[in-house]
Amino acid sequence: MKILCASAAVLAVAGPACAQDISLKPVAEARLRYEHVDQDGVAQETADALTVRARAGLTASAGALSATIVGQGTLAIVDDYYDGLNGAATRPIVADPQNVALYIAQLQYKTKALTLTGGRQKIALDDERFVGNVAFRDNAQTFDAVRAELTPAKGLKLDVACAWSVRTIWGFQGKGVRQQAVSGDNILANLSYATPVGTLTGFAYLVDQDEAAVQAFRFSSQTYGVRLAGARPLSKAAKISYQLSYARQSDYHSNPNDYGADYWLADATLDVRGWKLNGGYEVLGASSGAAFTSFQTPLGTNFKFQGWADKFLTTPANGIRDLYVGGGYGWKQMGPLIGVALAASWHRFDSDRLDQHYGNEIDLLASAKAGKTALSLRYAHYEAKAMATDTDKVWVQADWSI
């Protein structure tokens, strides 16, 4: 019902756009992925998942107004794994449950100064640390929301979304703490301005999670912060890009804790003639209060951060500090392949309080594109110290889209 109301709001703004000629554009995507996990501390230490995901839909456009509907399905061809809902919990988890779902169902009104979107949609803000689509997982994450993106002047943008439901990666079988959808009155707001040194963004994220099973994790929070992201040429052959971010998080709505925790990020990447060198330091702090609560990012694309082994999707009670370095090299073309790239990174994970060394991780990636198909091979090795257990993961993946 709320999706219909959101769509009606977009139609009310769109007005005469409905009378223009309609153009149709198909949406088609497919993914085939094999994931292998070898994890200590589990009764059956290995898991193997071969999954296929398909999405199909249509976008109809008339002038400034468009309507998009996309369905998706995920099928496990090899299901020797625990998907978080089904299968033997004695195996390592691979968070790709079989699923059939309505992925996107939105109306959008778009002009040079205003984009208004209502319905089920993707929302990915900045680097997706706090709000993202979780595109790596087969079922991804979408929002039932109304979103307004306003550009009143050159370089200035206001982006505000009101989301009443978060459609999680767990699909229609979701239950317990892994719900199909988590309801609540979420407010996601960004105000950004393009400065000579980069885009400066102020943000406010009010996360409201109503489901009783999810409340047990006390994820309802209010987060306010600022971010600077930019790039500068150093010469004709070299440039440096950088990110700096700070945020403060505290309890909100149904969260019974009284806490406050800080977030810090400093990241830089040097590009020189195909070579890349990256380094950074990210802190998700622990509260100084008795609640022992840490900075959480329940709506973020957390796979992108703190290593691909997924040991820190939920921030430990003592917080986490991630010191990382990485590098790689890319070729524009190699035979029939384009955009060929090799990359590696190393992480050291420590607690924000109590001086614990959680562990170390190495991540490796090879990627390329052949026609309309993106190919990738990933590897993650987590060496446990004071947190979790030794884990190796391998992914072989092909993504196709029209």
Side-chain angles (χ1 to χ4, degrees):
M1 184 63 184
K2 289 185 177 180
I3 292 181
L4 293 176
C5 293
S7 300
V10 175
L11 283 172
V13 174
C18 300
Q20 300 191 25
D21 292 339
I22 296 176
S23 62
L24 302 177
K25 181 181 179 181
V27 177
E29 303 175 14
R31 167 185 289 175
L32 179 66
R33 178 163 67 207
Y34 169 71
E35 181 171 343
H36 172 79
V37 184
D38 189 341
Q39 179 178 324
D40 288 354
V42 184
Q44 294 174 281
E45 294 186 350
T46 62
D48 292 282
L50 179 61
T51 59
V52 60
R53 186 203 67 201
R55 291 179 182 150
L58 189 68
T59 295
S61 302
L65 183 67
S66 66
T68 301
I69 186 165
V70 179
Q72 73 172 11
T74 300
L75 176 67
I77 301 172
V78 176
D79 61 355
D80 297 330
Y81 66 101
Y82 175 51
D83 66 14
L85 302 170
N86 307 292
T90 54
R91 288 187 181 276
I93 187 171
V94 175
D96 290 323
Q98 297 191 97
N99 184 41
V100 176
L102 181 62
Y103 181 59
I104 300 292
Q106 69 175 44
L107 279 178
Q108 186 175 85
Y109 174 72
K110 186 173 184 178
T111 65
K112 185 176 181 180
L114 174 67
T115 300
L116 184 63
T117 309
R120 186 162 301 169
Q121 58 189 281
K122 295 187 289 186
I123 301 179
L125 301 178
D126 297 321
D127 61 354
E128 301 190 52
R129 190 40 164 138
F130 302 108
V131 181
N133 180 229
V134 198
F136 182 77
R137 299 277 39 128
D138 282 345
N139 298 320
Q141 174 175 271
T142 55
F143 298 80
D144 292 345
V146 174
R147 181 184 184 187
E149 299 168 79
L150 179 64
T151 308
K154 183 179 179 181
L156 181 64
K157 181 179 180 180
L158 175 64
D159 189 335
V160 180
C162 301
W164 57 89
S165 181
V166 181
R167 315 298 297 191
T168 74
I169 66 170
W170 302 111
F172 74 93
Q173 301 180 77
K175 56 189 175 183
V177 298
R178 298 181 173 118
Q179 295 282 313
Q180 172 187 4
V182 181
S183 60
D185 297 322
N186 302 277
I187 306 296
L188 314 172
N190 266 10
L191 179 63
S192 61
Y193 182 68
T195 74
V197 295
T199 299
L200 182 64
T201 304
F203 53 85
Y205 303 132
L206 278 60
V207 177
D208 176 15
Q209 302 209 324
D210 284 345
E211 265 66 30
V214 179
Q215 282 183 27
F217 283 87
R218 304 178 178 186
F219 284 155
S220 293
S221 63
Q222 50 187 327
T223 302
Y224 305 94
V226 62
R227 167 185 167 84
L228 176 68
R232 296 183 69 84
L234 301 178
S235 68
K236 290 184 178 180
K239 74 171 183 177
I240 187 169
S241 55
Y242 43 84
Q243 305 175 67
L244 299 169
S245 188
Y246 169 76
R248 177 73 175 175
Q249 184 178 95
S250 59
D251 52 284
Y252 179 68
H253 194 63
S254 58
N255 194 328
N257 286 332
D258 181 10
Y259 81 100
D262 295 317
Y263 171 87
W264 300 88
L265 172 69
D267 178 279
T269 301
L270 177 65
D271 287 85
V272 182
R273 299 185 184 278
W275 290 96
K276 287 189 176 183
L277 179 64
N278 170 256
Y281 190 57
E282 185 185 44
V283 179
L284 281 74
S287 170
S288 58
F292 230 57
T293 304
S294 53
F295 198 108
Q296 301 292 338
T297 59
L299 304 186
T301 300
N302 295 340
F303 177 82
K304 291 178 61 178
F305 303 87
Q306 298 172 345
W308 298 331
D310 280 351
K311 296 301 180 181
F312 304 102
L313 296 178
T314 300
T315 307
N318 289 322
I320 183 169
R321 300 187 177 203
D322 178 13
L323 173 66
Y324 57 90
V325 293
Y329 186 78
W331 297 263
K332 291 183 178 180
Q333 187 165 0
M334 184 180 292
L337 303 176
I338 59 174
V340 180
L342 299 175
S345 61
W346 172 86
H347 297 256
R348 177 189 169 96
F349 303 112
D350 295 288
S351 63
D352 184 50
R353 61 187 294 174
L354 300 187
D355 194 26
Q356 296 176 311
H357 177 34
Y358 292 148
N360 304 313
E361 182 168 328
I362 294 174
D363 296 320
L364 306 176
L365 171 66
S367 61
K369 192 169 183 180
K372 296 181 178 181
T373 303
L375 305 169
S376 64
L377 171 63
R378 296 176 189 258
Y379 170 73
H381 170 70
Y382 177 76
E383 179 186 11
K385 298 298 184 182
M387 179 69 66
T389 59
D390 290 353
T391 300
D392 291 279
K393 293 188 177 185
V394 177
W395 300 265
V396 183
Q397 181 171 325
D399 286 278
W400 173 89
S401 62
I402 61 172

